[in-house]
């Protein structure tokens, strides 16, 4: 693999970590019952066995070519590429920030990227370790994975859900799952030591809060028609519904659900069905049909529809950053979210003519705190974009495989 660097902008435009800590963080609240380090032999602050702690984010890109099955893990700090066991026929690649989940018709392959972060609210720890294949989960291509620092919840296409011990995944093995009673609509989402889910009650999706054994402990008085899409933010969990979204939060030991409506009738094909964001950000994006993008500001509880060209992928870093839209002309476009106006664009990045579709095999935009990444499958490239500098192409990674599927970890 070679790396090419461009230093001028285009003239035309632009977890855990083992539950983790044996010792508490200085300044953490409600941890008086945990033993404090009292001798040089005590476990160091933030220690994770077998990992190296770093001062900066240890981002890596997981890359897969479904046809050949070739997998690569691109270390964005060193530029090195790691090979892992081949996985053919993958239709989707998901991640929870550390593990990659390659979904095939015969099962879901789990890959440990060896890069992750531990967020303590007022500070963050970044870690790196060896890349390794963990194994296969016996669920098909439509299964949905959601994780927190303790469990990975897997919901299959029939609505059955099971919990996997995340500490075992971190050790490189897959323990026997604990099945949850009942069936659910959409993904079961771990949150605040509980599980959020939609139970089907008489044809209506009713939001329920479960404990880790699957017992119902709360039922906020709210319904959600046609639940689709979810995202975890610092302000709570967003759950997509036909008329907008629900913001679910845990406050003072109780769970609340607040509606964030579109404010108007939105045709089914233009509703937000899946969300993309910079991890931790309170600004979410979702396609709004084929020629527009929804931006959901969770802080302000507002939806903004930005009219664009035909959309392949969209994302944003939030916090005043541009809306990034990869369009079917192969270029990355930047939009001002407040005005809806296009502010810049790159030259065409994608090889092979127009790109269409928003399914799991279409190119994506991954965003972290300073860069965005766009995969060009036919050109066997990944572009690193400085979205705060007119969409300047900071680096180009030339690969020996087609990066059809891509996901970023370590954030």
């Amino acid at each position: 693999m070679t790396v090419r660097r461009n230093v001028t902008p285009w003239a035309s435009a632009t977890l855990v970590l083992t539950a983790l800590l044996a010792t508490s963080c200085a300044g953490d609240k409600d941890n008086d019952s945990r033993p404090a380090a009292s001798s040089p032999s005590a476990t160091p602050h933030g220690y994770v066995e077998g990992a190296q702690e770093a001062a900066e984010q240890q981002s890596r890109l997981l890359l897969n070519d479904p046809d050949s099955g070739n997998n690569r893990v691109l270390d964005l700090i060193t530029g090195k590429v790691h090979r892992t066991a081949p996985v053919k026929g993958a239709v989707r690649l998901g991640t929870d920030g550390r593990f990659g989940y390659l979904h095939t018709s015969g099962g879901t392959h789990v890959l440990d990227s060896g890069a992750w972060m531990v967020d303590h609210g007022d500070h963050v720890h970044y870690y790196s370790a060896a890349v390794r294949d963990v194994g296969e989960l016996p669920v098909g291509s439509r299964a949905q994975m959601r994780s927190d620092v303790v469990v990975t919840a897997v919901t299959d296409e029939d609505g059955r859900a099971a919990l996997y011990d995340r500490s075992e995944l971190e050790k490189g093995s897959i323990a026997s799952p604990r099945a949850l009673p009942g069936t659910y609509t959409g993904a079961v989402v771990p949150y605040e030591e509980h599980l959020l889910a939609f139970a089907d009650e008489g044809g209506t999706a009713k939001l329920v809060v479960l404990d880790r054994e699957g017992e119902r402990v709360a039922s906020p008085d709210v319904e959600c028609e046609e639940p689709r899409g979810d995202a975890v933010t610092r302000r709570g969990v967003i759950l997509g519904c036909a008329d907008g979204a629900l913001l679910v939060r845990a406050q003072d030991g109780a769970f609340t659900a607040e509606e964030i409506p579109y404010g108007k009738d939105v045709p089914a094909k233009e509703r937000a069905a899946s969300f993309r964001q910079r991890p931790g950000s309170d600004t979410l994006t979702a396609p709004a049909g084929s020629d527009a993008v929804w931006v959901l500001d969770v802080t302000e509880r507002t939806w903004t529809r930005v009219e664009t060209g035909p959309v392949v992928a969209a994302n944003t870093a939030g916090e005043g950053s541009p809306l990034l839209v990869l369009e079917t002309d192969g270029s990355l476009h930047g939009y001002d979210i407040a005005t809806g106006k296009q502010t810049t664009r790159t030259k065409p990045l994608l090889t092979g003519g127009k790109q269409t579709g928003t399914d799991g095999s279409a190119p994506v935009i991954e965003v972290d705190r300073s860069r965005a990444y766009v995969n060009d499958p036919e050109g066997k490239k990944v572009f690193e974009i400085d979205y705060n500098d007119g969409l300047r192409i900071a680096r180009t990674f030339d690969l020996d495989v087609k990066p059809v599927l891509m996901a970023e970890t370590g954030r």
Side-chain angles (χ1 to χ4, degrees):
M1 182 205 75
T2 59
V3 179
R4 299 199 300 272
R5 300 175 183 268
N6 292 346
V7 295
T8 45
W10 295 105
S12 64
T14 21
L15 294 184
V16 161
L17 335 166
T18 21
L20 165 115
L21 303 302
T23 58
S24 62
C25 288
D28 281 358
K29 299 179 181 179
D30 303 323
N31 285 328
D32 294 343
S33 62
R34 296 184 183 182
S38 58
S39 71
S41 62
T43 301
H45 169 74
Y47 174 76
V48 174
E49 184 177 0
Q52 293 183 331
E53 186 169 1
E56 62 181 346
Q57 183 173 288
Q58 301 297 292
S59 294
R60 293 174 179 176
L61 293 179
L62 309 183
L63 307 165
N64 172 267
D65 175 9
D67 288 340
S68 67
N70 287 326
N71 278 329
R72 300 289 185 267
V73 179
L74 171 59
D75 189 318
L76 294 170
I77 302 299
T78 65
K80 294 182 179 179
V81 175
H82 304 267
R83 295 172 179 256
T84 66
V87 178
K88 296 189 69 172
V91 297
R92 286 191 298 123
L93 169 58
T95 182
D96 56 18
R98 173 174 178 173
F99 295 95
Y101 301 101
L102 284 156
H103 299 270
T104 74
S105 59
T108 296
H109 184 80
V110 184
L111 173 64
D112 186 350
S113 72
W116 69 94
M117 60 173 277
V118 184
D119 189 348
H120 291 289
D122 61 343
H123 67 284
V124 176
H125 298 277
Y126 297 108
Y127 295 98
S128 62
V131 177
R132 60 182 172 183
D133 292 284
V134 178
E136 302 290 327
L137 296 175
V139 290
S141 60
R142 296 174 62 185
Q144 302 184 76
M145 317 291 188
R146 303 292 186 268
S147 300
D148 66 5
V149 301
V150 178
V151 299
T152 293
V154 180
T155 311
D156 69 18
E157 61 185 59
D158 296 319
R160 295 186 298 266
L163 303 182
Y164 287 83
D165 185 339
R166 190 172 173 84
S167 67
E168 292 299 316
L169 294 181
E170 293 161 7
K171 295 174 185 177
S173 63
I174 298 175
S176 297
R178 183 171 73 253
L180 299 179
T183 58
Y184 303 95
T185 301
V188 172
V189 181
Y191 174 63
E192 292 292 328
E193 301 180 5
H194 289 77
L195 304 166
L196 305 181
F198 286 109
D200 187 351
E201 297 186 355
T204 299
K206 177 73 173 180
L207 176 65
V208 296
V209 182
L210 312 174
D211 64 19
R212 293 301 170 91
E213 299 301 319
E215 294 298 322
R216 188 178 302 189
V217 297
S219 298
D221 187 20
V222 66
E223 297 178 353
C224 179
E225 182 182 351
E226 299 179 9
R228 291 186 298 176
D230 55 88
V232 178
T233 76
R234 289 187 180 274
R235 298 185 181 275
V237 178
I238 287 291
L239 303 170
C241 304
D243 59 355
L246 298 177
L247 172 60
V248 183
R249 294 184 290 171
Q251 295 179 304
D252 301 323
F255 287 84
T256 64
E258 179 182 352
E259 296 181 350
I260 308 179
Y262 289 123
K264 61 180 180 180
D265 290 335
V266 176
K269 66 179 181 180
E270 297 180 7
R271 297 171 188 164
S274 61
F275 297 102
R276 301 280 294 178
Q277 71 192 118
R278 176 179 59 80
S281 172
D282 295 327
T283 305
L284 312 180
T285 67
S290 59
D291 298 304
V293 174
W294 287 113
V295 178
L296 173 56
D297 185 327
V298 180
T299 303
E300 299 297 329
R301 314 291 201 269
T302 57
W303 292 90
T304 301
R305 180 185 169 100
V306 179
E307 302 293 337
T308 65
V311 178
V312 175
N315 211 332
T316 184
E319 301 174 357
S321 298
L323 169 65
L324 305 177
V325 183
L326 184 64
E327 300 184 12
T328 55
D329 61 2
S331 297
L332 185 66
H333 300 245
Y335 292 86
D336 183 291
I337 295 174
T339 65
K341 294 182 178 179
Q342 179 175 297
T343 56
T344 188
R345 60 177 289 185
T346 67
K347 70 174 185 179
L349 302 179
L350 303 183
T351 304
K354 293 184 177 181
Q355 306 291 320
T356 59
T358 56
D359 61 6
S361 63
V364 298
I365 305 169
E366 293 285 357
V367 177
D368 57 35
R369 291 187 178 276
S370 62
R371 295 290 189 267
Y373 298 91
V374 176
N375 53 322
D376 173 21
E378 292 302 316
K380 296 184 178 180
K381 295 180 177 64
V382 170
F383 296 97
E384 180 182 77
I385 308 295
D386 186 344
Y387 53 78
N388 289 317
D389 187 14
L391 304 190
R392 175 176 63 88
I393 299 177
R395 291 187 290 180
T396 300
F397 297 95
D398 294 326
L399 304 163
D400 64 342
V401 300
K402 291 183 177 181
V404 176
L405 303 178
M406 182 177 78
E408 184 177 359
T409 65
R411 302 173 295 177

